[in-house]
Amino acid sequence: MKKIIQFIAIVCWFSAADAHNHDRNKGFDIKVTDLGYGIFELRTDRSGNVAVLIGKDGVFMVDTQMEHLVELIDGAQKKLSDNRDVDLIINTHFHRDHVRGNAYFKKRGAIIMAHPNVRRYLENPRAIKALGRKAPSFTPQYYPKTDVTEGTSLNMNGQSIELHHTPNAHTNSDLFVVFKEGNVIHGGDLVFNRRFPFIDIDNGGSVAGYIAGIKKIIEVADEDTKIIAGHGPVATISDLEESITMLNETHNIVKAFINKGLSLEAIKALNPLKSYTENWNWAFITTERMLTTHYYDITGQLE
């Protein structure tokens, strides 16, 4: 506990929901990827990918997934950490598939940190109209304890850990986490690898901000960096560059039709993004939903 207090002191010194259809079937394994230096990716393909850093100082976790998955996540990390509890957690943003495990770990003594907008959202959630979903509800047990933002850094298990904020990107609360010595980045939902991203226009996200967020990750990465995606497999700089190209191209296609005066339904009928379906379409963000995201971002309208 003394070390955790030291970590929080360091943080204070340096500091200046819904996402998709979750499968509630527990009959599957956690996919564990060893990224070296005590860093592991825990992936369920049901919710946001989790990272853990394990070493003599304790267990550091990035994101906590959902209530119905959290025991599986904790069980997987305990197999790696010799049955230790999680000490310190970063939430990359406020969507429920990244924070709904907070209460479970908080009850077991974990200290949870996040951008200030995470707590603000959890206290006063807003609907995601683009998904047709009402505002979720959260009790104080889910709230982060410590606010962190751009420039925050800490040291644990031999890793210098840097937190970077990207405003108005996936949401208005996004952080990505850099493990310097391990050359690993957890991109949160700034990275939907090899698939269309969800951009939460209703809660501070924007296409331009999302692209800027990806570029910021690229700026601090190199060709050897292993980039943990919020959703999808571990990514490289090349994967991120392909996402930027796709977003710019699809945005411009939709914007051209808007400039011609076409409605959302008229553009959908033309299916102008169909050539992107094979490589980018997936269960949550379909080609049509990506088109709608661009339309909503440009016009502020959903019809």
Side-chain angles (χ1 to χ4, degrees), residues 132-151:
R133 297 178 184 177
K134 297 178 181 178
S137 61
F138 298 91
T139 60
Q141 285 80 9
Y142 295 91
Y143 300 169
K145 181 177 182 179
T146 303
D147 290 341
V148 292
T149 188
E150 184 70 26

Side-chain angles (χ1 to χ4, degrees), residues 187-213:
D189 277 5
L190 295 169
V191 184
F192 281 69
N193 192 21
R194 305 175 195 172
R195 56 192 69 186
F196 288 130
F198 173 53
I199 301 174
D200 190 352
I201 309 299
D202 293 300
N203 290 290
S206 68
V207 175
Y210 193 91
I211 292 170

Side-chain angles (χ1 to χ4, degrees), residues 96-97 107 147 150 154 179 184-185 195 224 284 302:
R96 68 175 191 166
D97 62 317
K107 184 177 180 180
D147 290 341
E150 184 70 26
L154 53 140
F179 300 92
V184 173
I185 294 174
R195 56 192 69 186
D224 297 320
F284 176 45
L302 281 170

Side-chain angles (χ1 to χ4, degrees), residues 60-102:
F60 172 69
M61 178 175 281
V62 182
D63 287 338
T64 62
Q65 290 218 358
M66 299 283 287
E67 290 101 333
H68 65 287
L69 300 171
V70 68
E71 291 184 19
L72 294 173
I73 293 294
D74 192 30
Q77 77 78 18
K78 281 184 174 176
K79 288 180 181 177
L80 299 167
S81 68
D82 195 23
N83 208 39
R84 284 180 285 182
D85 286 322
V86 175
D87 299 294
L88 200 59
I89 291 169
I90 290 284
N91 292 146
T92 60
H93 62 290
F94 52 62
H95 283 148
R96 68 175 191 166
D97 62 317
H98 298 260
V99 304
R100 279 290 192 185
N102 281 7

Side-chain angles (χ1 to χ4, degrees), residues 166-172 174 190 197-214 247 251 290 293-294 296-298:
T166 58
N168 302 108
H170 172 63
T171 66
N172 64 2
D174 300 292
L190 295 169
F198 173 53
I199 301 174
D200 190 352
I201 309 299
D202 293 300
N203 290 290
S206 68
V207 175
Y210 193 91
I211 292 170
I214 299 175
L247 284 169
H251 192 76
M290 190 72 249
T293 298
H294 286 305
Y296 194 17
D297 179 70
I298 295 165

Side-chain angles (χ1 to χ4, degrees), residues 196-197 207 210-211 214-215 218 237-253 273 276 280 294:
F196 288 130
V207 175
Y210 193 91
I211 292 170
I214 299 175
K215 289 180 177 179
I218 291 173
I237 283 181
S238 178
D239 291 320
L240 269 56
E241 290 172 340
E242 288 183 20
S243 291
I244 291 172
T245 298
M246 177 275 294
L247 284 169
N248 279 321
E249 290 175 354
T250 55
H251 192 76
N252 289 335
I253 288 169
L273 305 185
Y276 295 87
W280 299 93
H294 286 305

